[in-house]
Amino acid sequence: MPHRDLTRLLGRCLAFDLDPSDLHRLRTQLLSSPDLWQELTDFATHEALVHALERRLHARGLLPSQFLPGEAAAFAPDGQLRTAAAALSKRREVLGEQLREIIKPLNRIGIQPIILKGARSLLTGEPDWRYLRDFDLLIPDQADAAFAEFVA
């Protein structure tokens, strides 16, 4: 599927509001091809939206595995999507632990950093699909002390 079409499909999957006819068309399209699941999962992973995609499709009852009994669900075409979303959840868990390990020594010396953007989502859990590559911390008027704590 061309990139533009994948972008459009991902947008439809993540849309906040779909009327029943759009939902039916989306379900029909998603169930039309196991290859489409692979392409959509790869694209959503590349765009750092795989967890959001999995959550939205699950909430709408659009995952084939939701309709299959027991072990058969493990072989549904959305299996890679579920696996990729679980990997992001695990990554966020590890990053959250690392962030807390950065905050501890700062708190020990009386610095309470302001946690911003994606780093904040690690501590609050919302949104749980947020992807991040770094931690944004604001340390007003105490940057030198914070820096010294980590290089000492």
Side-chain angles (χ1 to χ4, degrees), residues 62-116:
L62 293 175
L63 297 175
S65 60
Q66 291 174 291
F67 304 104
L68 297 172
E71 293 179 20
F75 300 103
D78 58 300
Q80 185 181 358
L81 176 62
R82 291 189 321 269
T83 300
L88 177 60
S89 291
K90 180 63 178 167
R91 182 178 188 277
R92 285 180 50 83
E93 184 181 312
V94 169
L95 288 173
E97 291 169 12
Q98 292 172 344
L99 177 59
R100 286 185 280 285
E101 288 302 312
I102 290 170
I103 294 170
K104 281 180 192 176
L106 294 174
N107 289 165
R108 247 190 328 269
I109 62 171
I111 297 174
Q112 293 185 336
I114 299 169
I115 315 301
L116 304 171

Short mmCIF file of all heavy atoms in Angstrom, two decimals, residues 62-116:
data_model
loop_
_atom_site.label_atom_id
_atom_site.label_comp_id
_atom_site.label_asym_id
_atom_site.label_seq_id
_atom_site.Cartn_x
_atom_site.Cartn_y
_atom_site.Cartn_z
N LEU A 62 -11.95 -3.81 16.78
CA LEU A 62 -11.50 -4.01 15.41
C LEU A 62 -10.31 -4.96 15.29
O LEU A 62 -9.76 -5.11 14.21
CB LEU A 62 -11.13 -2.67 14.77
CG LEU A 62 -12.30 -1.72 14.54
CD1 LEU A 62 -11.81 -0.38 14.01
CD2 LEU A 62 -13.32 -2.32 13.60
N LEU A 63 -9.92 -5.60 16.37
CA LEU A 63 -8.81 -6.55 16.30
C LEU A 63 -9.36 -7.94 16.04
O LEU A 63 -10.23 -8.41 16.78
CB LEU A 63 -8.00 -6.55 17.59
CG LEU A 63 -7.31 -5.23 17.95
CD1 LEU A 63 -6.65 -5.34 19.32
CD2 LEU A 63 -6.31 -4.83 16.89
N PRO A 64 -8.88 -8.61 15.00
CA PRO A 64 -9.39 -9.96 14.72
C PRO A 64 -9.26 -10.90 15.92
O PRO A 64 -10.14 -11.73 16.13
CB PRO A 64 -8.51 -10.42 13.55
CG PRO A 64 -8.10 -9.17 12.88
CD PRO A 64 -7.94 -8.16 13.99
N SER A 65 -8.22 -10.75 16.70
CA SER A 65 -8.03 -11.64 17.84
C SER A 65 -9.15 -11.54 18.87
O SER A 65 -9.39 -12.47 19.63
CB SER A 65 -6.69 -11.34 18.52
OG SER A 65 -6.66 -10.00 18.97
N GLN A 66 -9.89 -10.42 18.87
CA GLN A 66 -10.99 -10.25 19.80
C GLN A 66 -12.17 -11.17 19.47
O GLN A 66 -13.03 -11.38 20.31
CB GLN A 66 -11.46 -8.79 19.80
CG GLN A 66 -10.45 -7.84 20.40
CD GLN A 66 -10.87 -6.39 20.26
OE1 GLN A 66 -10.91 -5.85 19.18
NE2 GLN A 66 -11.21 -5.79 21.38
N PHE A 67 -12.16 -11.71 18.28
CA PHE A 67 -13.27 -12.56 17.85
C PHE A 67 -12.91 -14.04 17.81
O PHE A 67 -13.76 -14.86 17.51
CB PHE A 67 -13.76 -12.13 16.47
CG PHE A 67 -14.14 -10.69 16.42
CD1 PHE A 67 -13.31 -9.76 15.83
CD2 PHE A 67 -15.31 -10.25 17.00
CE1 PHE A 67 -13.65 -8.41 15.81
CE2 PHE A 67 -15.66 -8.92 16.98
CZ PHE A 67 -14.82 -8.00 16.38
N LEU A 68 -11.65 -14.36 18.11
CA LEU A 68 -11.19 -15.74 18.00
C LEU A 68 -11.09 -16.37 19.38
O LEU A 68 -10.64 -15.73 20.33
CB LEU A 68 -9.84 -15.80 17.30
CG LEU A 68 -9.84 -15.30 15.86
CD1 LEU A 68 -8.42 -15.23 15.32
CD2 LEU A 68 -10.69 -16.20 14.98
N PRO A 69 -11.45 -17.63 19.51
CA PRO A 69 -11.39 -18.30 20.81
C PRO A 69 -9.97 -18.71 21.18
O PRO A 69 -9.16 -19.07 20.33
CB PRO A 69 -12.27 -19.55 20.59
CG PRO A 69 -12.17 -19.82 19.12
CD PRO A 69 -12.02 -18.48 18.46
N GLY A 70 -9.67 -18.60 22.46
CA GLY A 70 -8.45 -19.13 23.07
C GLY A 70 -7.17 -18.97 22.28
O GLY A 70 -6.77 -17.88 21.92
N GLU A 71 -6.52 -20.10 22.01
CA GLU A 71 -5.21 -20.10 21.37
C GLU A 71 -5.25 -19.58 19.94
O GLU A 71 -4.24 -19.10 19.43
CB GLU A 71 -4.61 -21.51 21.38
CG GLU A 71 -4.27 -21.99 22.77
CD GLU A 71 -3.71 -23.40 22.76
OE1 GLU A 71 -3.25 -23.86 21.70
OE2 GLU A 71 -3.73 -24.03 23.83
N ALA A 72 -6.37 -19.66 19.28
CA ALA A 72 -6.48 -19.16 17.90
C ALA A 72 -6.17 -17.66 17.84
O ALA A 72 -5.64 -17.18 16.84
CB ALA A 72 -7.86 -19.44 17.34
N ALA A 73 -6.47 -16.92 18.91
CA ALA A 73 -6.21 -15.48 18.94
C ALA A 73 -4.72 -15.18 18.76
O ALA A 73 -4.36 -14.14 18.21
CB ALA A 73 -6.72 -14.87 20.24
N ALA A 74 -3.85 -16.08 19.23
CA ALA A 74 -2.41 -15.87 19.12
C ALA A 74 -1.96 -15.86 17.66
O ALA A 74 -0.91 -15.30 17.34
CB ALA A 74 -1.65 -16.94 19.89
N PHE A 75 -2.73 -16.44 16.76
CA PHE A 75 -2.35 -16.53 15.36
C PHE A 75 -3.12 -15.54 14.48
O PHE A 75 -3.05 -15.60 13.26
CB PHE A 75 -2.55 -17.96 14.85
CG PHE A 75 -1.71 -18.94 15.62
CD1 PHE A 75 -2.29 -19.75 16.58
CD2 PHE A 75 -0.36 -19.03 15.40
CE1 PHE A 75 -1.52 -20.64 17.32
CE2 PHE A 75 0.43 -19.91 16.13
CZ PHE A 75 -0.16 -20.72 17.08
N ALA A 76 -3.86 -14.65 15.10
CA ALA A 76 -4.61 -13.65 14.34
C ALA A 76 -3.64 -12.69 13.66
O ALA A 76 -2.52 -12.50 14.12
CB ALA A 76 -5.55 -12.88 15.27
N PRO A 77 -4.07 -12.05 12.55
CA PRO A 77 -3.16 -11.16 11.84
C PRO A 77 -2.75 -9.93 12.63
O PRO A 77 -1.78 -9.27 12.28
CB PRO A 77 -3.96 -10.76 10.58
CG PRO A 77 -5.37 -11.05 10.90
CD PRO A 77 -5.36 -12.18 11.89
N ASP A 78 -3.45 -9.62 13.71
CA ASP A 78 -3.06 -8.47 14.52
C ASP A 78 -2.03 -8.84 15.60
O ASP A 78 -1.68 -8.01 16.43
CB ASP A 78 -4.29 -7.82 15.16
CG ASP A 78 -5.07 -8.78 16.04
OD1 ASP A 78 -5.53 -9.80 15.51
OD2 ASP A 78 -5.22 -8.51 17.24
N GLY A 79 -1.53 -10.06 15.57
CA GLY A 79 -0.56 -10.50 16.57
C GLY A 79 0.69 -9.63 16.63
O GLY A 79 1.19 -9.31 17.70
N GLN A 80 1.20 -9.23 15.47
CA GLN A 80 2.40 -8.39 15.47
C GLN A 80 2.09 -7.01 16.05
O GLN A 80 2.92 -6.43 16.74
CB GLN A 80 2.99 -8.25 14.07
CG GLN A 80 4.29 -7.48 14.11
CD GLN A 80 4.93 -7.28 12.76
OE1 GLN A 80 4.42 -7.76 11.76
NE2 GLN A 80 6.03 -6.58 12.73
N LEU A 81 0.90 -6.52 15.80
CA LEU A 81 0.49 -5.23 16.37
C LEU A 81 0.47 -5.32 17.89
O LEU A 81 1.01 -4.45 18.58
CB LEU A 81 -0.89 -4.83 15.84
CG LEU A 81 -1.50 -3.56 16.41
CD1 LEU A 81 -0.64 -2.35 16.08
CD2 LEU A 81 -2.91 -3.38 15.87
N ARG A 82 -0.12 -6.39 18.42
CA ARG A 82 -0.16 -6.56 19.88
C ARG A 82 1.26 -6.71 20.44
O ARG A 82 1.58 -6.14 21.49
CB ARG A 82 -1.01 -7.78 20.24
CG ARG A 82 -2.49 -7.60 19.97
CD ARG A 82 -3.34 -8.74 20.54
NE ARG A 82 -2.76 -10.06 20.43
CZ ARG A 82 -2.94 -10.88 19.40
NH1 ARG A 82 -3.69 -10.50 18.38
NH2 ARG A 82 -2.38 -12.07 19.39
N THR A 83 2.11 -7.44 19.73
CA THR A 83 3.49 -7.64 20.18
C THR A 83 4.26 -6.32 20.19
O THR A 83 4.98 -6.01 21.14
CB THR A 83 4.21 -8.67 19.28
OG1 THR A 83 3.50 -9.91 19.36
CG2 THR A 83 5.65 -8.87 19.69
N ALA A 84 4.10 -5.52 19.13
CA ALA A 84 4.79 -4.23 19.05
C ALA A 84 4.30 -3.28 20.14
O ALA A 84 5.08 -2.56 20.76
CB ALA A 84 4.59 -3.61 17.67
N ALA A 85 2.99 -3.28 20.40
CA ALA A 85 2.44 -2.42 21.46
C ALA A 85 2.96 -2.86 22.83
O ALA A 85 3.29 -2.02 23.67
CB ALA A 85 0.91 -2.45 21.42
N ALA A 86 3.05 -4.17 23.05
CA ALA A 86 3.57 -4.67 24.33
C ALA A 86 5.05 -4.30 24.49
O ALA A 86 5.49 -3.97 25.59
CB ALA A 86 3.40 -6.19 24.41
N ALA A 87 5.80 -4.32 23.39
CA ALA A 87 7.22 -3.94 23.45
C ALA A 87 7.35 -2.47 23.83
O ALA A 87 8.24 -2.10 24.61
CB ALA A 87 7.90 -4.23 22.12
N LEU A 88 6.48 -1.62 23.30
CA LEU A 88 6.52 -0.21 23.66
C LEU A 88 6.17 -0.03 25.13
O LEU A 88 6.80 0.76 25.84
CB LEU A 88 5.58 0.62 22.79
CG LEU A 88 5.51 2.11 23.14
CD1 LEU A 88 6.87 2.77 23.02
CD2 LEU A 88 4.49 2.81 22.28
N SER A 89 5.19 -0.78 25.62
CA SER A 89 4.83 -0.70 27.04
C SER A 89 6.02 -1.08 27.91
O SER A 89 6.29 -0.42 28.92
CB SER A 89 3.64 -1.61 27.35
OG SER A 89 2.48 -1.12 26.76
N LYS A 90 6.72 -2.13 27.53
CA LYS A 90 7.89 -2.57 28.29
C LYS A 90 8.98 -1.50 28.24
O LYS A 90 9.62 -1.20 29.24
CB LYS A 90 8.41 -3.90 27.73
CG LYS A 90 9.62 -4.42 28.45
CD LYS A 90 9.32 -4.71 29.91
CE LYS A 90 10.53 -5.27 30.60
NZ LYS A 90 10.39 -5.28 32.05
N ARG A 91 9.19 -0.92 27.06
CA ARG A 91 10.19 0.15 26.92
C ARG A 91 9.85 1.32 27.82
O ARG A 91 10.71 1.87 28.50
CB ARG A 91 10.24 0.60 25.46
CG ARG A 91 11.27 1.67 25.18
CD ARG A 91 11.29 2.02 23.68
NE ARG A 91 12.38 2.90 23.38
CZ ARG A 91 12.34 4.23 23.54
NH1 ARG A 91 11.26 4.80 24.02
NH2 ARG A 91 13.38 4.96 23.24
N ARG A 92 8.57 1.70 27.86
CA ARG A 92 8.16 2.80 28.73
C ARG A 92 8.39 2.46 30.21
O ARG A 92 8.76 3.32 31.00
CB ARG A 92 6.69 3.16 28.49
CG ARG A 92 6.46 3.92 27.20
CD ARG A 92 4.99 4.25 26.99
NE ARG A 92 4.37 4.88 28.16
CZ ARG A 92 4.43 6.17 28.45
NH1 ARG A 92 5.07 7.00 27.66
NH2 ARG A 92 3.83 6.65 29.53
N GLU A 93 8.17 1.21 30.56
CA GLU A 93 8.41 0.78 31.94
C GLU A 93 9.88 0.95 32.30
O GLU A 93 10.22 1.48 33.36
CB GLU A 93 7.98 -0.68 32.08
CG GLU A 93 8.08 -1.24 33.47
CD GLU A 93 7.65 -2.70 33.51
OE1 GLU A 93 6.59 -3.02 32.95
OE2 GLU A 93 8.40 -3.50 34.10
N VAL A 94 10.76 0.51 31.43
CA VAL A 94 12.20 0.63 31.66
C VAL A 94 12.62 2.09 31.72
O VAL A 94 13.38 2.50 32.60
CB VAL A 94 13.00 -0.14 30.58
CG1 VAL A 94 14.49 0.18 30.64
CG2 VAL A 94 12.77 -1.64 30.71
N LEU A 95 12.12 2.90 30.79
CA LEU A 95 12.45 4.32 30.79
C LEU A 95 11.94 5.01 32.05
O LEU A 95 12.61 5.88 32.61
CB LEU A 95 11.86 5.01 29.55
CG LEU A 95 12.55 4.69 28.23
CD1 LEU A 95 11.76 5.29 27.06
CD2 LEU A 95 13.98 5.18 28.21
N GLY A 96 10.77 4.61 32.52
CA GLY A 96 10.23 5.18 33.76
C GLY A 96 11.14 4.87 34.95
O GLY A 96 11.40 5.74 35.79
N GLU A 97 11.65 3.65 34.99
CA GLU A 97 12.59 3.28 36.06
C GLU A 97 13.87 4.11 35.95
O GLU A 97 14.40 4.59 36.95
CB GLU A 97 12.92 1.79 35.98
CG GLU A 97 11.76 0.89 36.35
CD GLU A 97 12.01 -0.58 36.01
OE1 GLU A 97 13.16 -0.96 35.69
OE2 GLU A 97 11.03 -1.36 36.06
N GLN A 98 14.37 4.30 34.73
CA GLN A 98 15.58 5.09 34.54
C GLN A 98 15.35 6.54 34.94
O GLN A 98 16.22 7.17 35.55
CB GLN A 98 16.05 4.99 33.09
CG GLN A 98 16.55 3.63 32.72
CD GLN A 98 16.82 3.48 31.23
OE1 GLN A 98 16.37 4.27 30.41
NE2 GLN A 98 17.55 2.43 30.88
N LEU A 99 14.19 7.08 34.60
CA LEU A 99 13.88 8.46 34.97
C LEU A 99 13.85 8.61 36.49
O LEU A 99 14.42 9.57 37.04
CB LEU A 99 12.54 8.89 34.37
CG LEU A 99 12.05 10.29 34.73
CD1 LEU A 99 13.06 11.34 34.29
CD2 LEU A 99 10.68 10.54 34.09
N ARG A 100 13.23 7.67 37.18
CA ARG A 100 13.20 7.74 38.64
C ARG A 100 14.61 7.65 39.23
O ARG A 100 14.91 8.30 40.24
CB ARG A 100 12.29 6.66 39.21
CG ARG A 100 10.80 7.00 39.00
CD ARG A 100 9.86 6.00 39.66
NE ARG A 100 9.67 4.78 38.90
CZ ARG A 100 8.94 4.68 37.80
NH1 ARG A 100 8.32 5.73 37.32
NH2 ARG A 100 8.82 3.52 37.17
N GLU A 101 15.49 6.89 38.58
CA GLU A 101 16.87 6.79 39.04
C GLU A 101 17.64 8.09 38.82
O GLU A 101 18.60 8.38 39.54
CB GLU A 101 17.60 5.62 38.35
CG GLU A 101 17.13 4.27 38.82
CD GLU A 101 17.31 4.07 40.33
OE1 GLU A 101 18.40 4.37 40.86
OE2 GLU A 101 16.34 3.63 40.98
N ILE A 102 17.24 8.88 37.86
CA ILE A 102 17.85 10.20 37.63
C ILE A 102 17.32 11.20 38.66
O ILE A 102 18.07 12.05 39.17
CB ILE A 102 17.55 10.69 36.20
CG1 ILE A 102 18.31 9.84 35.19
CG2 ILE A 102 17.89 12.17 36.03
CD1 ILE A 102 17.91 10.06 33.74
N ILE A 103 16.05 11.10 38.98
CA ILE A 103 15.42 12.06 39.89
C ILE A 103 15.90 11.87 41.34
O ILE A 103 16.08 12.84 42.08
CB ILE A 103 13.88 11.96 39.80
CG1 ILE A 103 13.41 12.40 38.41
CG2 ILE A 103 13.21 12.79 40.87
CD1 ILE A 103 11.94 12.12 38.14
N LYS A 104 16.14 10.62 41.74
CA LYS A 104 16.52 10.33 43.14
C LYS A 104 17.71 11.14 43.62
O LYS A 104 17.63 11.79 44.67
CB LYS A 104 16.79 8.84 43.32
CG LYS A 104 15.56 8.00 43.44
CD LYS A 104 15.95 6.53 43.62
CE LYS A 104 14.77 5.63 43.46
NZ LYS A 104 15.15 4.21 43.53
N PRO A 105 18.86 11.12 42.92
CA PRO A 105 20.00 11.89 43.44
C PRO A 105 19.75 13.39 43.44
O PRO A 105 20.28 14.10 44.31
CB PRO A 105 21.16 11.52 42.50
CG PRO A 105 20.56 10.84 41.34
CD PRO A 105 19.22 10.34 41.75
N LEU A 106 18.94 13.86 42.52
CA LEU A 106 18.60 15.28 42.53
C LEU A 106 17.78 15.62 43.76
O LEU A 106 18.04 16.62 44.44
CB LEU A 106 17.84 15.65 41.25
CG LEU A 106 18.61 15.54 39.95
CD1 LEU A 106 17.69 15.78 38.76
CD2 LEU A 106 19.80 16.49 39.93
N ASN A 107 16.79 14.78 44.06
CA ASN A 107 15.97 15.01 45.26
C ASN A 107 16.82 14.95 46.53
O ASN A 107 16.58 15.71 47.47
CB ASN A 107 14.85 13.99 45.35
CG ASN A 107 13.76 14.18 44.31
OD1 ASN A 107 12.94 13.31 44.09
ND2 ASN A 107 13.72 15.33 43.64
N ARG A 108 17.80 14.04 46.53
CA ARG A 108 18.68 13.91 47.71
C ARG A 108 19.41 15.20 48.04
O ARG A 108 19.69 15.48 49.19
CB ARG A 108 19.71 12.80 47.46
CG ARG A 108 19.53 11.60 48.33
CD ARG A 108 20.65 10.58 48.28
NE ARG A 108 21.35 10.42 47.03
CZ ARG A 108 21.02 9.55 46.07
NH1 ARG A 108 19.98 8.77 46.23
NH2 ARG A 108 21.72 9.47 44.97
N ILE A 109 19.74 15.99 47.00
CA ILE A 109 20.46 17.24 47.25
C ILE A 109 19.52 18.45 47.21
O ILE A 109 19.96 19.59 47.11
CB ILE A 109 21.65 17.43 46.28
CG1 ILE A 109 21.17 17.52 44.82
CG2 ILE A 109 22.67 16.34 46.47
CD1 ILE A 109 22.27 17.92 43.83
N GLY A 110 18.22 18.16 47.31
CA GLY A 110 17.24 19.24 47.43
C GLY A 110 16.76 19.83 46.12
O GLY A 110 16.14 20.90 46.12
N ILE A 111 17.02 19.17 45.01
CA ILE A 111 16.56 19.67 43.72
C ILE A 111 15.32 18.89 43.30
O ILE A 111 15.33 17.66 43.28
CB ILE A 111 17.66 19.53 42.64
CG1 ILE A 111 18.87 20.39 43.02
CG2 ILE A 111 17.12 19.91 41.26
CD1 ILE A 111 20.06 20.20 42.09
N GLN A 112 14.26 19.63 42.99
CA GLN A 112 13.04 19.01 42.49
C GLN A 112 12.86 19.45 41.04
O GLN A 112 12.30 20.53 40.79
CB GLN A 112 11.85 19.40 43.34
CG GLN A 112 11.92 18.84 44.73
CD GLN A 112 10.67 19.14 45.52
OE1 GLN A 112 9.94 20.09 45.24
NE2 GLN A 112 10.41 18.32 46.52
N PRO A 113 13.32 18.63 40.10
CA PRO A 113 13.21 19.03 38.70
C PRO A 113 11.75 19.06 38.24
O PRO A 113 10.90 18.35 38.76
CB PRO A 113 13.98 17.93 37.95
CG PRO A 113 13.90 16.75 38.84
CD PRO A 113 13.88 17.29 40.24
N ILE A 114 11.49 19.92 37.29
CA ILE A 114 10.18 19.96 36.66
C ILE A 114 10.24 18.99 35.47
O ILE A 114 11.09 19.14 34.59
CB ILE A 114 9.83 21.39 36.20
CG1 ILE A 114 9.80 22.33 37.41
CG2 ILE A 114 8.50 21.41 35.44
CD1 ILE A 114 9.73 23.79 37.06
N ILE A 115 9.40 18.00 35.50
CA ILE A 115 9.40 16.95 34.48
C ILE A 115 8.48 17.40 33.35
O ILE A 115 7.31 17.69 33.58
CB ILE A 115 8.93 15.60 35.05
CG1 ILE A 115 9.58 15.30 36.41
CG2 ILE A 115 9.14 14.48 34.05
CD1 ILE A 115 11.08 15.25 36.40
N LEU A 116 8.99 17.40 32.12
CA LEU A 116 8.26 17.93 30.98
C LEU A 116 7.96 16.87 29.92
O LEU A 116 8.64 15.85 29.83
CB LEU A 116 9.07 19.05 30.32
CG LEU A 116 9.49 20.21 31.22
CD1 LEU A 116 10.48 21.11 30.49
CD2 LEU A 116 8.29 21.00 31.67
#
